[in-house]
Amino acid sequence: MSVPTGRVAGAVAALPPSSFFLTSAVFHYLGPSLAVLLFAHVGVLGVAWLRIAAAAVVFVLWRRPWRVLRAAPPDRRRVLLALGAVLAAMNSLFYLAVDRLPLATVGAVEFLGTIVLAAAGARTPRNLVALALAVGGVAVLTDVHLAGEPLGFAFAFANCAGFVLYVVLGHRVASSGAGPLAGIDQLGAAMLVAAVVATPFGLHQAAAAFGHPLWLAWGIGVGVCSSVIPYVTDQLAMARLPRATFALMLALLPAAATAIGLLVLAQVPTGRDLLGIALVIAGLAAHQAAHQAADPPVSRGRAPDAAGTAPPAGRVRPGRA
């Protein structure tokens, strides 16, 4: 598999992983806001297909990911096929849910799965306190009530399961160890698979957009904002963060939604919103302090492994396919 090297890879490796995650958090909500507005013109599954197909085209033009699928060993190919199927299902279920429920509610349900991942990596009392603060902040921000739309919640919880699989499989791709940007090539391959999987379910609804250039451009914008920028930056963050830390950082998403609402939509946050944001930030700070106390600094010149720490000199840890 070809991996970008040289100046670009060096510049990417020099950036802190939090910068990638914050970029992902912003576009995580810009994309769905565009998609919800497009629902008035194109069916929900059609918008999901436009998102996936547009992202696949971008990756084809940028990374030529079919070469990755062709060259991958069987175990790695199975991971990419599974990730592609998960991306197709997760994106479709997310849009089916937000068509019936408020975006904040779907986001809160989606976060329930990441709580499990974060809890699985909680090794100290401070980790557990950090998780409790972050979960409390999300609960304050979203104020979820499971009533009124059972089908919408069925889609939301199915999307939650898909999101957990996305984080797990995405980390397996990001921790392949082939280079700082290798995960992006594999992500592009998985997105090609997702486009194939989603086509039978969404192409017929998406056909309405092909007669309206503005709707089609809108759908392409949704794909770039929702499936290219955030997934690429997720890969760059996952390559440098332990899975539990990444899962906990996802608690920032509701806070990001509040900030975007203020800056873009002039929606002034309430005192409850500010309390929720403060709890989330406190949880993230406590978790970071616990992680730094538990793990020694990484020696310069040795890349961190999937757990975020460098292997001792002279030892090679087996990779996780």
Side-chain angles (χ1 to χ4, degrees):
M1 292 178 234
S2 65
V3 181
T5 57
R7 188 175 303 173
V8 174
V12 169
L15 293 172
S18 57
S19 65
F20 302 128
F21 183 84
L22 291 174
T23 301
S24 173
V26 169
F27 282 93
H28 189 88
Y29 281 98
L30 285 178
S33 65
L34 291 172
V36 170
L37 295 173
L38 189 56
F39 288 167
H41 307 291
V42 180
V44 174
L45 290 179
V47 175
W49 184 86
L50 287 172
R51 166 184 175 170
I52 295 167
V57 169
V58 170
F59 281 113
V60 163
L61 296 176
W62 177 31
R63 303 302 311 155
R64 291 183 286 180
W66 63 86
R67 299 177 302 173
V68 174
L69 278 174
R70 189 169 55 209
D75 56 344
R76 177 60 47 176
R77 189 177 295 121
R78 285 193 292 270
V79 171
L80 297 178
L81 291 173
L83 179 58
V86 166
L87 288 173
M90 181 181 72
N91 292 336
S92 299
L93 289 165
F94 181 82
Y95 283 172
L96 288 168
V98 298
D99 188 44
R100 294 166 171 82
L101 297 171
L103 182 61
T105 299
V106 177
V109 173
E110 188 174 61
F111 180 72
L112 294 176
T114 67
I115 293 175
V116 176
L117 293 178
R123 299 182 299 273
T124 68
R126 182 177 282 183
N127 284 123
L128 294 174
V129 170
L131 182 62
L133 287 170
V135 171
V138 171
V140 169
L141 278 169
T142 53
D143 190 20
V144 177
H145 300 286
L146 301 180
E149 182 53 74
L151 184 58
F153 279 105
F155 288 136
F157 278 104
N159 170 67
C160 170
F163 195 67
V164 171
L165 290 173
Y166 162 70
V167 173
V168 172
L169 292 171
H171 255 280
R172 295 183 70 177
V173 167
S175 62
S176 60
L181 301 182
I184 296 175
D185 289 331
Q186 297 179 72
L187 171 64
M191 194 61 70
L192 276 181
V193 175
V196 173
V197 172
T199 293
F201 306 99
L203 180 59
H204 65 290
Q205 290 190 9
F210 290 101
H212 297 80
L214 180 60
W215 299 357
L216 186 60
W218 200 336
I220 293 171
V222 169
V224 172
C225 289
S226 297
S227 291
V228 176
I229 296 175
Y231 289 167
V232 166
T233 50
D234 277 353
Q235 276 296 307
L236 296 172
M238 287 176 178
R240 313 250 304 270
L241 291 172
R243 190 170 68 193
T245 298
F246 182 84
L248 186 64
M249 287 185 74
L250 292 171
L252 272 178
L253 295 180
T258 303
I260 291 171
L262 174 63
L263 297 174
V264 178
L265 303 176
Q267 296 175 344
V268 179
T270 64
R272 182 189 186 95
D273 295 330
L274 295 176
L275 174 61
I277 293 171
L279 287 171
V280 168
I281 293 174
L284 291 171
H287 177 80
Q288 183 65 21
H291 177 64
Q292 289 176 345
D295 294 325
V298 177
S299 300
R300 186 175 297 275
R302 285 186 291 156
D305 63 8
T309 58
R315 289 181 57 196
V316 178
R317 292 188 182 184
R320 294 182 300 165

mmCIF file of all heavy atoms in Angstrom, residues 34-35 38 42 50-51 54 206 208-225:
data_model
loop_
_atom_site.group_PDB
_atom_site.id
_atom_site.type_symbol
_atom_site.label_atom_id
_atom_site.label_comp_id
_atom_site.label_asym_id
_atom_site.label_seq_id
_atom_site.Cartn_x
_atom_site.Cartn_y
_atom_site.Cartn_z
ATOM 1 N N LEU A 34 -26.663 20.536 6.848
ATOM 2 C CA LEU A 34 -26.922 20.622 5.412
ATOM 3 C C LEU A 34 -27.846 19.498 4.954
ATOM 4 O O LEU A 34 -28.738 19.703 4.123
ATOM 5 C CB LEU A 34 -25.601 20.555 4.640
ATOM 6 C CG LEU A 34 -24.653 21.742 4.755
ATOM 7 C CD1 LEU A 34 -23.320 21.414 4.090
ATOM 8 C CD2 LEU A 34 -25.272 22.983 4.123
ATOM 9 N N ALA A 35 -27.627 18.289 5.486
ATOM 10 C CA ALA A 35 -28.416 17.140 5.065
ATOM 11 C C ALA A 35 -29.881 17.294 5.448
ATOM 12 O O ALA A 35 -30.780 16.992 4.637
ATOM 13 C CB ALA A 35 -27.843 15.865 5.688
ATOM 14 N N LEU A 38 -31.714 19.337 3.113
ATOM 15 C CA LEU A 38 -31.897 18.699 1.807
ATOM 16 C C LEU A 38 -33.013 17.667 1.823
ATOM 17 O O LEU A 38 -33.537 17.298 0.760
ATOM 18 C CB LEU A 38 -30.573 18.036 1.375
ATOM 19 C CG LEU A 38 -30.468 17.500 -0.046
ATOM 20 C CD1 LEU A 38 -30.763 18.579 -1.079
ATOM 21 C CD2 LEU A 38 -29.084 16.896 -0.287
ATOM 22 N N VAL A 42 -34.969 15.701 -1.400
ATOM 23 C CA VAL A 42 -34.481 14.361 -1.739
ATOM 24 C C VAL A 42 -34.794 13.435 -0.564
ATOM 25 O O VAL A 42 -34.689 13.844 0.596
ATOM 26 C CB VAL A 42 -32.962 14.381 -2.024
ATOM 27 C CG1 VAL A 42 -32.457 12.978 -2.384
ATOM 28 C CG2 VAL A 42 -32.632 15.366 -3.137
ATOM 29 N N LEU A 50 -26.054 10.056 -1.538
ATOM 30 C CA LEU A 50 -25.268 11.168 -2.084
ATOM 31 C C LEU A 50 -24.057 11.451 -1.208
ATOM 32 O O LEU A 50 -22.956 11.713 -1.712
ATOM 33 C CB LEU A 50 -26.144 12.418 -2.205
ATOM 34 C CG LEU A 50 -27.187 12.424 -3.315
ATOM 35 C CD1 LEU A 50 -28.112 13.640 -3.181
ATOM 36 C CD2 LEU A 50 -26.521 12.429 -4.695
ATOM 37 N N ARG A 51 -24.250 11.403 0.093
ATOM 38 C CA ARG A 51 -23.137 11.626 1.031
ATOM 39 C C ARG A 51 -22.047 10.587 0.816
ATOM 40 O O ARG A 51 -20.857 10.924 0.671
ATOM 41 C CB ARG A 51 -23.665 11.569 2.465
ATOM 42 C CG ARG A 51 -22.578 11.448 3.516
ATOM 43 C CD ARG A 51 -23.159 11.291 4.910
ATOM 44 N NE ARG A 51 -22.099 11.052 5.900
ATOM 45 C CZ ARG A 51 -22.293 11.061 7.209
ATOM 46 N NH1 ARG A 51 -23.494 11.293 7.698
ATOM 47 N NH2 ARG A 51 -21.289 10.817 8.028
ATOM 48 N N ALA A 54 -20.508 10.716 -2.900
ATOM 49 C CA ALA A 54 -19.651 11.892 -3.092
ATOM 50 C C ALA A 54 -18.319 11.697 -2.388
ATOM 51 O O ALA A 54 -17.249 12.021 -2.935
ATOM 52 C CB ALA A 54 -20.356 13.142 -2.574
ATOM 53 N N ALA A 206 -31.993 9.087 -4.634
ATOM 54 C CA ALA A 206 -31.032 10.127 -5.004
ATOM 55 C C ALA A 206 -31.221 10.598 -6.437
ATOM 56 O O ALA A 206 -30.741 11.687 -6.798
ATOM 57 C CB ALA A 206 -29.609 9.607 -4.818
ATOM 58 N N ALA A 208 -33.543 11.945 -7.916
ATOM 59 C CA ALA A 208 -34.200 13.258 -8.034
ATOM 60 C C ALA A 208 -33.186 14.389 -8.081
ATOM 61 O O ALA A 208 -33.439 15.432 -8.708
ATOM 62 C CB ALA A 208 -35.156 13.461 -6.855
ATOM 63 N N ALA A 209 -32.031 14.211 -7.446
ATOM 64 C CA ALA A 209 -31.034 15.281 -7.394
ATOM 65 C C ALA A 209 -30.306 15.462 -8.720
ATOM 66 O O ALA A 209 -29.773 16.551 -8.982
ATOM 67 C CB ALA A 209 -30.008 14.992 -6.294
ATOM 68 N N PHE A 210 -30.297 14.447 -9.559
ATOM 69 C CA PHE A 210 -29.531 14.542 -10.807
ATOM 70 C C PHE A 210 -30.166 15.496 -11.807
ATOM 71 O O PHE A 210 -29.504 15.940 -12.746
ATOM 72 C CB PHE A 210 -29.346 13.155 -11.417
ATOM 73 C CG PHE A 210 -28.416 12.272 -10.627
ATOM 74 C CD1 PHE A 210 -28.923 11.300 -9.783
ATOM 75 C CD2 PHE A 210 -27.050 12.440 -10.698
ATOM 76 C CE1 PHE A 210 -28.079 10.494 -9.032
ATOM 77 C CE2 PHE A 210 -26.192 11.639 -9.958
ATOM 78 C CZ PHE A 210 -26.711 10.664 -9.117
ATOM 79 N N GLY A 211 -31.433 15.816 -11.626
ATOM 80 C CA GLY A 211 -32.079 16.795 -12.497
ATOM 81 C C GLY A 211 -32.020 18.210 -11.963
ATOM 82 O O GLY A 211 -32.554 19.130 -12.599
ATOM 83 N N HIS A 212 -31.402 18.397 -10.795
ATOM 84 C CA HIS A 212 -31.303 19.719 -10.176
ATOM 85 C C HIS A 212 -29.858 19.955 -9.747
ATOM 86 O O HIS A 212 -29.436 19.433 -8.699
ATOM 87 C CB HIS A 212 -32.239 19.823 -8.967
ATOM 88 C CG HIS A 212 -33.687 19.681 -9.307
ATOM 89 N ND1 HIS A 212 -34.282 18.458 -9.515
ATOM 90 C CD2 HIS A 212 -34.661 20.626 -9.485
ATOM 91 C CE1 HIS A 212 -35.567 18.637 -9.785
ATOM 92 N NE2 HIS A 212 -35.815 19.929 -9.779
ATOM 93 N N PRO A 213 -29.093 20.684 -10.511
ATOM 94 C CA PRO A 213 -27.671 20.885 -10.185
ATOM 95 C C PRO A 213 -27.430 21.416 -8.773
ATOM 96 O O PRO A 213 -26.455 21.026 -8.123
ATOM 97 C CB PRO A 213 -27.207 21.895 -11.243
ATOM 98 C CG PRO A 213 -28.146 21.690 -12.392
ATOM 99 C CD PRO A 213 -29.468 21.333 -11.775
ATOM 100 N N LEU A 214 -28.328 22.290 -8.279
ATOM 101 C CA LEU A 214 -28.139 22.836 -6.937
ATOM 102 C C LEU A 214 -28.281 21.742 -5.887
ATOM 103 O O LEU A 214 -27.488 21.663 -4.937
ATOM 104 C CB LEU A 214 -29.142 23.959 -6.679
ATOM 105 C CG LEU A 214 -29.049 24.622 -5.292
ATOM 106 C CD1 LEU A 214 -27.665 25.235 -5.078
ATOM 107 C CD2 LEU A 214 -30.137 25.683 -5.133
ATOM 108 N N TRP A 215 -29.291 20.879 -6.025
ATOM 109 C CA TRP A 215 -29.462 19.784 -5.067
ATOM 110 C C TRP A 215 -28.272 18.836 -5.122
ATOM 111 O O TRP A 215 -27.813 18.346 -4.083
ATOM 112 C CB TRP A 215 -30.743 19.002 -5.368
ATOM 113 C CG TRP A 215 -32.004 19.791 -5.276
ATOM 114 C CD1 TRP A 215 -32.142 21.097 -4.893
ATOM 115 C CD2 TRP A 215 -33.315 19.328 -5.595
ATOM 116 N NE1 TRP A 215 -33.455 21.479 -4.947
ATOM 117 C CE2 TRP A 215 -34.212 20.423 -5.366
ATOM 118 C CE3 TRP A 215 -33.848 18.121 -6.049
ATOM 119 C CZ2 TRP A 215 -35.584 20.321 -5.589
ATOM 120 C CZ3 TRP A 215 -35.217 18.005 -6.270
ATOM 121 C CH2 TRP A 215 -36.070 19.100 -6.033
ATOM 122 N N LEU A 216 -27.781 18.566 -6.337
ATOM 123 C CA LEU A 216 -26.645 17.663 -6.479
ATOM 124 C C LEU A 216 -25.402 18.251 -5.822
ATOM 125 O O LEU A 216 -24.675 17.552 -5.103
ATOM 126 C CB LEU A 216 -26.387 17.399 -7.968
ATOM 127 C CG LEU A 216 -25.303 16.359 -8.288
ATOM 128 C CD1 LEU A 216 -25.659 15.008 -7.693
ATOM 129 C CD2 LEU A 216 -25.123 16.242 -9.799
ATOM 130 N N ALA A 217 -25.159 19.547 -6.044
ATOM 131 C CA ALA A 217 -24.019 20.208 -5.403
ATOM 132 C C ALA A 217 -24.177 20.194 -3.885
ATOM 133 O O ALA A 217 -23.199 20.036 -3.137
ATOM 134 C CB ALA A 217 -23.884 21.637 -5.913
ATOM 135 N N TRP A 218 -25.417 20.355 -3.454
ATOM 136 C CA TRP A 218 -25.732 20.306 -2.022
ATOM 137 C C TRP A 218 -25.358 18.935 -1.449
ATOM 138 O O TRP A 218 -24.723 18.831 -0.391
ATOM 139 C CB TRP A 218 -27.219 20.557 -1.867
ATOM 140 C CG TRP A 218 -27.704 21.016 -0.536
ATOM 141 C CD1 TRP A 218 -27.122 20.827 0.677
ATOM 142 C CD2 TRP A 218 -28.921 21.724 -0.298
ATOM 143 N NE1 TRP A 218 -27.903 21.371 1.662
ATOM 144 C CE2 TRP A 218 -29.022 21.933 1.088
ATOM 145 C CE3 TRP A 218 -29.942 22.197 -1.118
ATOM 146 C CZ2 TRP A 218 -30.091 22.587 1.676
ATOM 147 C CZ3 TRP A 218 -31.016 22.849 -0.537
ATOM 148 C CH2 TRP A 218 -31.083 23.055 0.843
ATOM 149 N N GLY A 219 -25.752 17.871 -2.162
ATOM 150 C CA GLY A 219 -25.431 16.526 -1.706
ATOM 151 C C GLY A 219 -23.937 16.278 -1.677
ATOM 152 O O GLY A 219 -23.422 15.618 -0.760
ATOM 153 N N ILE A 220 -23.213 16.806 -2.673
ATOM 154 C CA ILE A 220 -21.756 16.666 -2.682
ATOM 155 C C ILE A 220 -21.150 17.391 -1.476
ATOM 156 O O ILE A 220 -20.231 16.889 -0.823
ATOM 157 C CB ILE A 220 -21.173 17.206 -3.994
ATOM 158 C CG1 ILE A 220 -21.628 16.317 -5.166
ATOM 159 C CG2 ILE A 220 -19.653 17.286 -3.930
ATOM 160 C CD1 ILE A 220 -21.292 16.876 -6.529
ATOM 161 N N GLY A 221 -21.684 18.577 -1.178
ATOM 162 C CA GLY A 221 -21.212 19.310 0.003
ATOM 163 C C GLY A 221 -21.440 18.539 1.281
ATOM 164 O O GLY A 221 -20.589 18.531 2.185
ATOM 165 N N VAL A 222 -22.600 17.849 1.369
ATOM 166 C CA VAL A 222 -22.871 17.011 2.536
ATOM 167 C C VAL A 222 -21.822 15.914 2.651
ATOM 168 O O VAL A 222 -21.299 15.629 3.737
ATOM 169 C CB VAL A 222 -24.285 16.403 2.445
ATOM 170 C CG1 VAL A 222 -24.478 15.313 3.497
ATOM 171 C CG2 VAL A 222 -25.343 17.486 2.622
ATOM 172 N N GLY A 223 -21.474 15.289 1.513
ATOM 173 C CA GLY A 223 -20.486 14.216 1.543
ATOM 174 C C GLY A 223 -19.122 14.700 1.998
ATOM 175 O O GLY A 223 -18.453 14.042 2.802
ATOM 176 N N VAL A 224 -18.695 15.863 1.482
ATOM 177 C CA VAL A 224 -17.386 16.398 1.863
ATOM 178 C C VAL A 224 -17.371 16.775 3.342
ATOM 179 O O VAL A 224 -16.421 16.466 4.075
ATOM 180 C CB VAL A 224 -17.020 17.608 0.984
ATOM 181 C CG1 VAL A 224 -15.762 18.291 1.492
ATOM 182 C CG2 VAL A 224 -16.833 17.173 -0.467
ATOM 183 N N CYS A 225 -18.439 17.445 3.794
ATOM 184 C CA CYS A 225 -18.490 17.910 5.191
ATOM 185 C C CYS A 225 -18.710 16.776 6.180
ATOM 186 O O CYS A 225 -18.246 16.851 7.326
ATOM 187 C CB CYS A 225 -19.602 18.949 5.344
ATOM 188 S SG CYS A 225 -19.253 20.534 4.571
#
